[in-house]
Amino acid sequence: HKKHSGKLEIKSKIPLATKHDLSLVYTPGVGQVSIEIGKNKELAKIYTLKANTVAVISDGSSILGLGNLGGHLAASLLRAGFKVTVHDKDPKLAKRLMALGAVWADSAADVAGQADHVITCLPSPTVSELVLRQMLPHMKNGASWVENSTLGRDDILRLGALAADHGVRMMELPV
C-alpha cells in the first residue's frame, strides 16, 4: 500500500477493530505483489512494511521446520552468531545446521521450553496447529511464536487466539 508503506506492522497504522477490518488490509494471496517485487526490489519499500521494519533477533531463538525456508533462516542466524535451537521430523535436515553450531532438540516441546522466540516454517495449517499444541504447554509466558508457514486468514486468527490464551504472542510472517 503506497500511502502507508505497507499494511501491517506490530502496531497497525490502520484501525483494526473487527475481523472485517482485518480482512480489508490482510493479503493472503501475495503472489502478484511478490512477482512485481521480484522484478524490481525497490517496490518492496512501497508495497510492504520493509521501510518501517527493524528485526529483533536474540539469543534464545528456535526454529521448527528445517526445509527450504527454515533451514536457510537457521543458517543465516547461526552465521550471524546467534544461538539457535532446531528441530524437524527429519533429523538429517539438522546436520548442516549443527555443524554451524545449532543445538538439536528432540521434540517441538523441547524447543518451546528452551526458547524466548519460536519460529515455525511448516507445510500446512494442520501441521502448524499440531506443532503449536505440542509447544504451548512448554512455552514461557510472554514468549513469541513467529509463524512463517503460509496459512489462511481464519487459521491465523484461530491459532493466534489459541496462542494468546496461553500467554504467547503470535506474529505471522508468511513467505
Side-chain angles (χ1 to χ4, degrees), residues 4 20 44 59 63 72-73 78 86 95 117 123 130 143 169 173:
H4 298 289
H20 177 72
D59 280 351
I63 300 178
H72 291 300
L73 176 59
L78 289 161
V86 296
K95 285 185 179 181
H117 316 288
L130 176 70
R169 296 172 302 202
L173 281 155

Side-chain angles (χ1 to χ4, degrees), residues 116-162:
D116 297 321
H117 316 288
V118 177
I119 302 166
T120 53
C121 305
L122 302 166
S124 73
T126 301
V127 174
S128 291
E129 181 172 358
L130 176 70
V131 169
L132 178 62
R133 288 187 183 278
Q134 292 170 5
M135 293 188 316
L136 283 174
H138 307 280
M139 291 183 82
K140 301 171 186 173
N141 191 29
S144 298
W145 169 42
V146 180
E147 174 57 276
N148 278 191
S149 312
T150 303
L151 304 178
R153 176 185 165 271
D154 292 342
D155 293 315
I156 288 298
L157 294 172
R158 183 175 50 80
L159 297 177
L162 179 62

